[in-house]
């Protein structure tokens, strides 16, 4: 978001919508947020969500899968 401040509003709306209306647990939400951060190429966002996921106890291999699966998929296209 540092590089794209206009994303802040979308992020706030996303957080509110997901956390208030979803049955997804916090770990899953963070893994999705990591993948979204990679997709929009927001390194600041990605670091934030990786730290949060780690604090929530998400295993490193799941975090890596969220990051590298999307990057690998983008290279195929």
């Amino acid at each position: 978001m540092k590089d794209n401040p206009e994303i802040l509003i979308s992020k706030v709306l996303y957080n509110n919508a997901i956390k208030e209306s979803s049955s997804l647990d916090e770990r899953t939400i963070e893994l999705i947020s990591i993948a979204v951060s990679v997709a929009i190429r927001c390194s600041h966002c990605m670091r934030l969500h990786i730290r949060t996921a780690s604090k929530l106890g998400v295993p490193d291999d799941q975090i890596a899968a969220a990051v590298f699966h999307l990057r690998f998929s983008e290279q195929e296209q």
Side-chain angles (χ1 to χ4, degrees):
M1 277 182 253
K2 183 171 112 180
D3 298 331
N4 299 314
E6 66 277 3
I7 294 175
L8 178 61
I9 294 171
S10 297
K11 176 63 178 153
V12 170
L13 293 172
Y14 165 81
N15 281 351
N16 289 339
I18 295 297
K19 291 180 180 178
E20 291 179 10
S21 66
S22 176
S23 61
L24 296 174
D25 61 280
E26 287 188 52
R27 290 171 156 201
T28 302
I29 291 170
E30 285 307 317
L31 288 170
I32 293 168
S33 297
I34 291 168
V36 169
S37 298
V38 172
I40 65 171
R41 293 179 168 85
C42 179
S43 59
H44 170 74
C45 306
M46 188 174 66
R47 286 190 302 272
L48 170 74
H49 290 295
I50 288 172
R51 273 195 310 270
T52 303
S54 293
K55 288 179 184 177
L56 290 171
V58 176
D60 289 343
D61 62 328
Q62 290 182 4
I63 293 171
V67 172
F68 294 113
H69 176 71
L70 186 60
R71 284 194 178 162
F72 182 71
S73 296
E74 286 179 346
Q75 290 175 359
E76 289 179 334
Q77 297 176 359

